Amino acid sequence: MDVIKIMASMKRFLLSLLLLNAVLIISAQSRLKTPLPQLPAFQPGTFQLWIPSFLPGVMDDSVNAFNFHDTLIYNLNGQIFPGGYLLPKNSRGQKLSTPWETIAELVDAYKKRDRQRIVDLYNYTSADKVAEFLNGADANSFLDYVSKSANASLKIMGGIDYGNGIVVFVKDSIHGVHLNYLVKEGPAYKLSTLEDDKAVLWNIMNYFNYVPKPPVAVKGIGLPDSLNINGAVDVRIRVPEAGDWVGIYLPTPGESIRLLVQDNGPHDLDPDKNVIEFSIPGVIFITPGTYTFYIASFNYPAQRVTKNYFLSDAKYKIKVYEKKDDYDSY
Amino acid sequence: MTLSAMLLCVNVMFAQAPNMSDGHTPPPIPPPVKKPCKLISFSLPCCSDKAVDVKDIADVKTEGPGANVVFNPDRATLPSLYATDTTTVSASACGKTLTAQIVMVNSDRKILAKNEPILNKLNKINDIANQKFKPMLEKTNRLLNKYLSFIGDFQSELKLGFNFGGEAYKICCPGQSPCIKSAYKVFGEGEAGLLGKCPIPVTGLPVIGKYLGGVDVVVTLGFSLVINVNAKTTCQSMAVCVNPEAKVTGGGGFAFKVAGFKAEGQALLDGGGVSSEICLLPDFEVKCVKFNTGKIKLVGNVSDKWGWVTVNFEYVVWDGASFPIYGCN
C-alpha cells in the first residue's frame, strides 16, 4: 500500500514537473514570438504632387508635369506619407505582401548586413547581379554605407506606380533619399534594378529630400542705411529649424539668390543650432546704388528668386556706395 | 550777184517789211544769230581715288557749233610710286586750250608720315590697350573674387594680349576742303579677359542629403573679348570702333563615389555673354563691357546600389550673375 502511495506521489511530482516544463516552454515561446510591427496598409490612390520648380535640382519636365506658376504638378497613382513613415527598429519577418513590407525587410537586412536576405529580396532577373556585387570587393564598404543609412531614422516617404512596378522613396537623415523599384513576383513585392532617364523620379526625390515649406521672413534686423561695396555688415539670425538657410535676394524673379548661408554651414560663424551669424558683403550688390532686397529663411538651399519669395515684412533698403580707388580712374 | 550782195538784199527787204505791212502779212521771224565756236570753261573734281576717263569727270562749257573738246591726257591714272599725284589736264576746243588739275589718290599706298600725332598714337596702341584694360580687368577680378568667395574660392588669371598695328594713307574726300585727307588703318588682334576656377557646392542632389559641402564641382568661369580689326578711317569719320567677339567659357566635371554609390557628371555653361564696344581711333576708348556669366547646368547621373537604381539628371545649379564691368547701363 505504502509502495503504491509512494508511486502515486512520485507520479504526481513527475506530472507536476512536466506541467511546469510545459508552462515554462510555452511562456518562453511566447516571449520569443513577439508580434510583427504593424506597418501601414498599402492603399494606393490617385493624388497630385505639387513641386516648386525653383527647388534646387528640379529638372524641367513639360512632358510629365503640368507647369503652373513656378510649380510642377504631377498627377500620380500611389500613396505618400506626408511626414514620412518611420520604420520600426526591428522589422524582420515580413511577408512581402505590400511594398512597405518589402522595404522594411530590406532595411532590416541592411541593418544586419545579411547578404543572403538582401539577395532574396530581389526578383529573379536582378538577384544574380546583386549577389555578385555583395560577394565582391566593394561589398563591405557598401554594407557600411547602407547600414548607416538604415540606422539613421529611416522613413518611407511614399510610393508611386512607375513602369511595370512601384517606386518607393525612402529617406534617411544622413544620405538623403534612396529609390527602390519593386515589381510583383507572384504574391510578393520584389526589388528590381532600374535605369531611368525621365525627370519624374528625380524631381520627386528632390521634393522628398527637402519637403519644402514657404519661406519665413527675417524681420527686424538692424541694418545700417548705407554700406561700402567693399565692406560688410554682420548679422545674427535665428532660423525656425536647425540646418535651415538664410537667403538674401533682390526683387528680380529668375535671378540668383545673392547670398545663401546655412545654419552650421561653412559661412555660419555661430556654432549654435538654429542661429546663423554671418557677414553681408556689399559686393553682393555688384554696383553702387540704392537697393531694395529681402532676407528670408528657407528649409532648402534656395537658388533662384521667385515671386513667392517677396514677403512684405522681409523687405529692406540700403544705399551701397563705393569709395573710389586708383583702379577706378580708367 | 554775190552771196554777200544777196544777203544784204534780204536784210534790206526785211528791214523794209514793217513799212510794207498792210495788216494782213505776219511779221517775219529773224533767223538765229550764229555765234562762233568758243571754249568757255573747263574744270575737274578736286581728286579721284580711281583711274578715270577725263571726259567722264570733266566739267566743260562751250559755245557755238563744232566744239569738239579734246583732253590731254584723256585718262587720269593713279600714281604707282606715291600716295598722291597732281595731274594737269588740258582741254582744247575751238582753237582754245584750257587746263585744270586733279589730284589722283592711290589710297592703297601707305605713307610714311613723320610726326603725325595719330600715327604716333597707333604706334603705341598696344601699350595704350594694356593700360586701359588691365585696371578694368583687375577690378573685375577683385569683384568676382569677392562675389564668388561666398560660393567658393575663386582663383583667376588675367588674359591680356594685343598685337595691333597702324598705318597712314591718303584718301580723296570730294566736296570737303581740303579734299585730300589722311586716313588711318588699324589692324591686328587682341584679347582681354579673365579666366578663373571656382568650386561650386552641388545642391539638388537628393542622394547626398540636405547639407552642402558633400559634393563640389570645380568650374572654370571666364570671359574674353577677342578683337579682330582691319578698318580704316573714312572721310566722314575718324573713328574706328569694333564690337569684339565675346567668348564666355565655363564648365567642369565632378564625381562623388563611395562604395555602391556614385554621382558624376559635367557642369556646363548655358548661355552667358559679353556686351562690348571698343574704339581704337581717334583714341583708344572702351565704351562698354558687360559680362554675363550664364547659368551653370549639371548633367550626369546618380547610381545608388541601395535600390540598384540609376537616374539621369540635368538641372541648373547656379543661375549666374551679370557684371557691368565698364560703362554699360
Side-chain angles (χ1 to χ4, degrees), chain A residues 66-246:
Chain A
F66 176 59
N67 207 331
F68 178 73
H69 287 304
D70 285 343
T71 306
L72 296 175
I73 301 174
Y74 284 103
N75 287 310
L76 302 166
N77 192 59
Q79 184 179 356
I80 60 166
F81 303 103
Y85 169 72
L86 184 65
L87 278 169
K89 282 185 181 171
N90 189 341
S91 52
R92 182 174 186 162
Q94 302 290 336
K95 293 178 194 164
L96 316 186
S97 60
T98 69
W100 319 141
E101 287 182 0
T102 306
I103 295 300
E105 194 67 15
L106 176 73
V107 171
D108 192 75
Y110 276 152
K111 278 181 186 173
K112 290 165 183 151
R113 304 165 68 100
D114 189 334
R115 296 165 202 235
Q116 192 52 52
R117 275 177 67 208
I118 296 167
V119 173
D120 290 345
L121 289 169
Y122 278 84
N123 68 347
Y124 70 97
T125 56
S126 313
D128 288 349
K129 199 196 287 185
V130 177
E132 189 183 341
F133 175 73
L134 288 176
N135 291 308
D138 288 335
N140 280 332
S141 50
F142 168 72
L143 289 168
D144 289 345
Y145 176 79
V146 289
S147 63
K148 256 186 209 166
S149 289
N151 281 301
S153 308
L154 201 123
K155 290 177 179 177
I156 297 177
M157 305 306 291
I160 60 163
D161 286 352
Y162 198 77
N164 297 319
I166 290 169
V167 168
V168 175
F169 302 85
V170 299
K171 180 181 175 182
D172 70 71
S173 58
I174 301 175
H175 294 135
V177 179
H178 306 277
L179 288 182
N180 307 269
Y181 182 54
L182 296 98
V183 290
K184 236 8 201 334
E185 201 173 75
Y189 281 94
K190 288 288 190 90
L191 289 152
S192 178
T193 58
L194 175 70
E195 285 193 16
D196 185 64
D197 59 0
K198 297 185 186 73
V200 183
L201 298 183
W202 182 262
N203 286 344
I204 298 173
M205 283 172 86
N206 270 294
Y207 175 83
F208 283 136
N209 190 34
Y210 299 114
V211 192
K213 294 177 183 171
V216 177
V218 172
K219 302 178 204 170
I221 300 182
L223 291 179
D225 296 335
S226 62
L227 174 65
N228 184 353
I229 200 162
N230 296 311
V233 57
D234 295 336
V235 292
R236 197 163 184 274
I237 293 167
R238 181 166 288 278
V239 290
E241 286 177 35
D244 278 356
W245 285 263
V246 165

Side-chain angles (χ1 to χ4, degrees), chain A residues 225-301:
Chain A
D225 296 335
S226 62
L227 174 65
N228 184 353
I229 200 162
N230 296 311
V233 57
D234 295 336
V235 292
R236 197 163 184 274
I237 293 167
R238 181 166 288 278
V239 290
E241 286 177 35
D244 278 356
W245 285 263
V246 165
I248 298 180
Y249 47 97
L250 302 190
T252 315
E255 199 196 71
S256 294
I257 297 283
R258 293 292 175 100
L259 183 63
L260 188 69
V261 185
Q262 188 179 18
D263 179 29
N264 286 345
H267 298 293
D268 180 9
L269 303 174
D270 189 316
D272 292 347
K273 284 186 175 177
N274 295 76
V275 176
I276 307 181
E277 189 176 338
F278 63 100
S279 296
I280 303 173
V283 74
I284 65 167
F285 297 100
I286 300 178
T287 52
T290 300
Y291 292 92
T292 298
F293 63 100
Y294 294 88
I295 308 179
S297 69
F298 300 85
N299 76 329
Y300 57 92

